[in-house]
Amino acid sequence: MLPILIRGVIVYVIIIIGVRLMGKRQIGELQPSELVITFLLSDIASMPLQNSNTPLIQSVAAVFLLIALEVMTSCLSLKFRPFRTLIQGHPVMIIKNGQLQQKSMKKIRYSVDDIIESLRLKDVFDIGEVDYAYVETNGALSILLKENRENDSALPCLVISDGKVIEREFDLCELTEKKLYGILEEKGVELKNVLLMTYSKGGKMSLVLKKGSD
């Protein structure tokens, strides 16, 4: 009995350390790769407790291997946007001006019932009240209500992320690459020094520079 208790304490400490190393996130905020790692960790951690003949060192080594893979994946995702998109995907608009975007819904296999339920959880009971809704990469639904917008310019589009131009929503915010570079030139800012930039078709923008590039 005592060896099992000792194993349990060791495994518990190892898992706590592993979770701390991977960073702080709530369960609902986990990306697919992080969720897979979480399930695998719980599976591996239970092996030495279920079978006393299983060497503890094997489970500990497997836990740290998974942690290393997750940390490496996170670092690559931060540095290379295509890799991040491959692993995490990107947000998908499923409601625009109160209208369901059926093509997008089919693409991510999101049913009308899924949308209605997600809206109700946000105290919204009429799709017509929603101006825009996105399914985020973690599966959560983000919405912007019509009553919260004075005009179309209230919807900001992500146009630069970590020094990379994001053309996906240019049409939505009435922006072109030429206009974007014109704005950067006017501000005296180089693209590589921009951490985040949002822009709305009313001309409202938000610009955040990388530290040390001021």
Side-chain angles (χ1 to χ4, degrees):
M1 185 67 180
L2 183 59
I4 293 296
L5 292 177
I6 295 175
R7 281 175 172 240
V9 171
I10 294 174
V11 169
Y12 175 78
V13 172
I14 294 297
I15 294 299
I16 292 296
I17 293 173
V19 172
R20 289 296 302 273
L21 288 174
M22 288 191 297
K24 297 181 179 179
R25 280 185 188 263
Q26 297 179 9
I27 294 298
E29 297 176 344
L30 293 178
Q31 297 294 340
S33 62
E34 296 169 332
L35 192 59
V36 169
I37 292 295
T38 301
F39 287 144
L40 288 176
L41 285 179
S42 62
D43 239 0
I44 292 172
S46 65
M47 290 171 56
L49 300 181
Q50 294 172 348
N51 186 354
S52 58
N53 293 322
T54 302
L56 182 60
I57 188 64
Q58 289 185 5
S59 295
V60 172
V63 165
F64 278 108
L65 174 62
L66 290 176
I67 293 170
L69 288 174
E70 172 57 26
V71 172
M72 183 173 64
T73 299
S74 298
C75 291
L76 288 173
S77 295
L78 285 173
K79 191 169 184 180
F80 303 106
R81 186 174 184 82
F83 182 79
R84 179 164 68 248
T85 301
L86 177 65
I87 297 297
Q88 301 179 1
H90 55 76
V92 177
M93 181 192 293
I94 57 172
I95 299 178
K96 180 180 180 181
N97 295 327
Q99 300 295 317
L100 293 175
Q101 305 299 294
Q102 298 182 37
K103 187 175 180 180
S104 297
M105 289 170 59
K106 290 180 180 179
K107 180 180 178 181
I108 61 174
R109 297 183 296 280
Y110 218 77
S111 70
V112 174
D113 289 340
D114 292 330
I115 295 175
I116 296 299
E117 180 180 351
S118 297
L119 290 177
R120 284 201 302 263
L121 290 173
K122 293 180 177 294
D123 298 323
V124 178
F125 295 86
D126 182 3
I127 292 180
E129 296 177 358
V130 181
D131 218 348
Y132 294 93
Y134 284 84
V135 176
E136 305 294 350
T137 55
N138 63 0
L141 187 69
S142 300
I143 64 173
L144 180 67
L145 299 177
K146 290 181 178 179
E147 61 186 13
N148 290 340
R149 302 173 70 236
E150 296 177 359
N151 49 53
D152 289 339
S153 66
L155 180 69
C157 302
L158 178 64
V159 294
I160 298 179
S161 175
D162 198 15
K164 301 292 189 302
V165 175
I166 312 300
E167 299 182 6
R168 188 171 58 247
E169 296 182 344
F170 272 16
D171 290 340
L172 185 61
C173 58
E174 297 182 352
L175 184 68
T176 62
E177 189 170 348
K178 181 178 180 181
K179 185 175 179 180
L180 174 61
Y181 279 103
I183 294 173
L184 293 179
E185 185 177 353
E186 182 182 335
K187 297 287 184 181
V189 175
E190 292 186 38
L191 175 63
K192 65 180 181 180
N193 294 328
V194 179
L195 178 64
L196 172 72
M197 178 178 172
T198 60
Y199 186 87
S200 54
K201 64 181 178 180
K204 185 178 180 181
M205 60 172 283
S206 176
L207 185 66
V208 180
L209 299 179
K210 296 179 180 178
K211 288 185 177 180
S213 62
D214 297 339

